Amino acid sequence: MAHEENASPMSGMTSGIRNMIVRFAGVLLALTLLAALWSTALARLSERSTAVDLLTRAGTDIINPLLTANGSGLGQALYQQLEAQAKAHPHQALALPFLKVQIPASSIVGKDFAAGSAAIYRRVAEAYYDNGPDGAFLLPDQLKPIVSSYTPFVQNTGSFKSPLPSVPIPQLPSFLTQLWYGVGFTPTTLTAAGHATTLSNSGWLWGVSAILALVIVLFSAGWNRLRNVAWPLFHSSWHIALFGVIGTFLTHRDIAHTGPYAGVLDLIGGTFMPVFYAAVLVG
């Protein structure tokens, strides 16, 4: 009888410790899963083909207007000169003083300003992806920090003249710049080096997440094993899933201008939404 009386308090204490471990591991799992999912989304976004396409659009729609508004960049008058040069010497490189990249003249022969600009900035995007901002542009000193630190998803309120308020993609307020950098989306994210970093981070975070999920399973019983893992999955994915829904709505309101950027949200949503649905079904 005395043995049974002593066993009950010990059993309750053990159960309390197990529950505390499960709760603590669940909170950590939600945080590491959120980081792992976000790193995976960035890794998918920074794959070469996707990143170069996005950088090309950003170059023609955002960076070039910024540069031309500040006395550099590719304007209509300069393009007409380049077009004449390309027709006369199609096997030579174009003379673009603001670029470090060699642009074959043949790449713009027979193309209008929009198509020619896209062809030029695709070469710039490839150089940017391989070597970072310093490998693509040759700019005056006052423009170097602007381009090297610029991200198209945050408003820039600097003193330089710029048409950025008309950028056709949703932008975060400028006071959130540090937060945006903190979650890993910097000017070097869409580069080969950035892709390697996000892949490495993603691998480590998924490994830690797997260990935490195993701890929860070992210290849980019955169906609680699934439920205790499902709730961290849910809480790690619904925030970005909601962000993706809102962003998709804003983007598709003006699909003619924002359509080329919708793929960013599709990639992020494609990473988070399956996890969100699975957590809802299991939980």
Side-chain angles (χ1 to χ4, degrees):
M1 181 68 71
H3 176 73
E4 292 179 358
E5 290 177 355
N6 292 332
S8 181
M10 289 298 296
S11 177
M13 183 180 297
T14 301
S15 177
I17 293 173
R18 290 166 67 94
N19 290 336
M20 185 182 299
I21 292 173
V22 169
R23 287 196 296 270
F24 183 69
V27 172
L28 290 180
L29 178 59
L31 294 174
T32 55
L33 274 174
L34 177 61
L37 286 165
W38 182 248
S39 294
T40 301
L42 289 182
R44 293 184 63 193
L45 189 64
S46 60
E47 290 175 352
R48 184 180 179 84
S49 59
T50 303
V52 168
D53 287 344
L54 182 60
L55 288 168
T56 301
R57 293 298 311 214
T60 56
D61 294 347
I62 302 169
I63 298 297
N64 191 61
L66 186 153
L67 295 178
T68 55
N70 288 273
S72 188
L74 179 64
Q76 290 277 2
L78 177 57
Y79 185 77
Q80 291 177 359
Q81 297 175 14
L82 294 174
E83 192 176 19
Q85 175 187 337
K87 290 179 180 178
H89 306 284
H91 301 296
Q92 295 183 2
L94 298 174
L96 287 163
F98 65 96
L99 295 181
K100 293 181 179 179
V101 186
Q102 291 290 313
I103 309 294
S106 58
S107 62
I108 70 166
V109 173
K111 296 179 180 177
D112 60 14
F113 178 73
S117 297
I120 290 172
Y121 271 97
R122 186 165 190 85
R123 295 275 183 167
V124 176
E126 291 170 348
Y128 186 102
Y129 186 85
D130 292 335
N131 304 305
D134 291 338
F137 294 100
L138 186 62
L139 300 172
D141 291 340
Q142 69 272 19
L143 289 180
K144 287 180 180 179
I146 297 172
V147 173
S148 63
S149 63
Y150 180 71
T151 173
F153 301 101
V154 179
Q155 294 175 1
N156 196 320
T157 57
S159 59
F160 57 89
K161 179 183 176 184
S162 170
L164 293 182
S166 63
V167 171
I169 53 177
Q171 289 187 295
L172 295 174
S174 57
F175 68 85
L176 293 176
T177 299
Q178 292 304 316
L179 173 63
W180 196 244
Y181 274 60
V183 298
F185 207 108
T186 71
T188 59
T189 299
L190 300 181
T191 64
H195 180 63
T197 298
T198 53
L199 273 180
S200 176
N201 292 341
S202 177
W204 280 104
L205 288 166
W206 280 114
V208 173
S209 298
I211 293 172
L212 290 170
L214 180 61
V215 170
I216 292 173
V217 169
L218 291 176
F219 282 86
S220 301
W223 284 104
N224 285 332
R225 291 190 177 97
L226 286 177
R227 293 193 182 96
N228 289 338
V229 172
W231 276 107
L233 285 173
F234 175 79
H235 286 294
S236 67
S237 57
W238 75 264
H239 311 82
I240 307 300
L242 179 61
F243 169 79
V245 170
I246 295 173
T248 300
F249 171 75
L250 293 174
T251 301
H252 283 80
R253 288 181 64 187
D254 187 12
I255 196 67
H257 293 95
T258 62
Y261 301 96
V264 177
L265 296 172
D266 292 339
L267 279 172
I268 294 175
T271 302
F272 281 82
M273 292 305 288
V275 176
F276 175 75
Y277 290 139
V280 171
L281 289 173
V282 174

